[in-house]
Amino acid sequence: MRVLVQKYGGSSVKDAERIKAVAERVVKAYKDGWSVITVVSAMGDTTDELIAKAKQVNSKPARREMDMLLSTGEQVSIALLAMAIEALGAPVISLTGQQVGILTDDVHTKARIKHVDTKRLQEELNAGRIVIVAGFQGVNSRNDITTLGRGGSDTTAVALAAAIQAEVCEIYTDVDGVYTADPRIVSTARKLTDISYGEMLEMASLGALVLQPRAVEFAAMNQVRLCVRNSYNYHPGTLVQEERQVEKDMLVVGVAHDTNVAKVAILSVPDRPGVAYNIFSRLAVEGINVDMIVQTNKELNVTDMVFSTSRDDVVRVREIAEAVAQDLGAGDVLIDDTVAKISIVGAGMVSNPGVAARMFEALAEEDINIQVISTSEIKVSCLIAEEHIKRAAQALHRKFQLDAVKSMEA
Ligand code: ADP
Ligand code: ASP
Ligand code: MG
């Protein structure tokens, strides 16, 4: 049995016309001889709309209830897609996360998949049916519905592909593949033929929405052949694999930006052992991701602790940070949600000194102030004011000649 997993994002199933178009693609793959598992997201902006609805009744809803609400979006999509496929005369069944055997941990709204029980999936495929699966959802050990974090349908697809040993996992979206920058903000961005798991993981973690970071991590761990393609055409897409094969000499493979960022400062923290542990362990227990961290000594025995986090977590971060500040005898907590993160990514930069300096040069030329910097072997990130993000992305794209290759190719 040759198994193909396809995932269609919200933009690919945004209305009845698109659902019918996707149904045709799925049936085509089925008729080509594949055993097809299709994972779908909620239609269009459904998830955002559901979040807005929740906020209308409670500014801080219980995360268990958020999962109960958000998982409904995907359930609408699977039923409609199954009906559209049925109308084309192909055998099909839709399954929720629970029905398809996706068991997760207990972290509501950001759950991680612990196990996939493929029994039902295997039975349906053996019976010759196309299986349509609700992305983004699973259940915990108590059978409560959990969701996998924004963009989580990508991870559902990869997890199923790994569990069932699919030949390939195709992620269908509204652009032709993975680009050197978000094509919506850098018009000269160029589609990559392929990219390594490591680079893709950085790009995704640094804000390139096109794949959920967890999906890339899962694909790398399980050697899932991942291909990002456009559901609106039949172009070949971008292959995510072990090593970058094409354009091996590219120093910087892409520019990523993230506007879902807030900067948090806890002022005048007593400078003694255990303080950082105290602050960040409390955030970790609450499942809050902290990214860039800087500690600045402004006077003797007192430091300011500055870190970045997701804007989604700001309400909870404020509560925790204020409680910790009080316990430690620190000063005010300041939160700035008008910042954004701009990053360059490339496996080549580890052996090439001066890459970070060129990034800072590009930002200086644009007169953009850098607030916080962080680096790793394959990326450099800067926190800047959100209003400059588009100009920063375009300037870095130019500085690292990511546009230039396009004109050479043309
Ligand atoms: P879907 O609904 O298919 O899951 P998403 O909105 O989650 O789609 O992801 C696709 C979007 O990711 C694209 O429309 C594009 O604007 C954005 N994006 C950001 N960075 C990149 C990149 N480097 N390459 C491709 N797309 C990117
Ligand atoms: N519908 C969810 C979201 O909007 C999951 C996904 O699209 O992958 O984040
Ligand atoms: Mg997505």
Side-chain angles (χ1 to χ4, degrees), residues 189-201:
R190 188 170 53 85
K191 193 200 82 183
L192 296 160
T193 308
D194 65 336
I195 186 168
S196 69
Y197 289 123
E199 289 167 330
M200 189 64 238
L201 182 58

Side-chain angles (χ1 to χ4, degrees), residues 246-292:
V246 183
E247 301 174 35
K248 279 201 167 94
D249 52 344
M250 258 172 116
L251 198 61
V252 169
V253 78
V255 174
H257 75 284
D258 190 354
T259 52
N260 186 11
V261 180
K263 186 175 75 171
V264 183
I266 307 180
L267 304 181
S268 304
V269 179
D271 193 10
R272 57 167 193 261
V275 164
Y277 168 68
N278 203 316
I279 297 173
F280 295 110
S281 60
R282 288 216 225 165
L283 292 165
V285 166
E286 288 294 316
I288 290 168
N289 280 330
V290 168
D291 181 26
M292 304 161 124

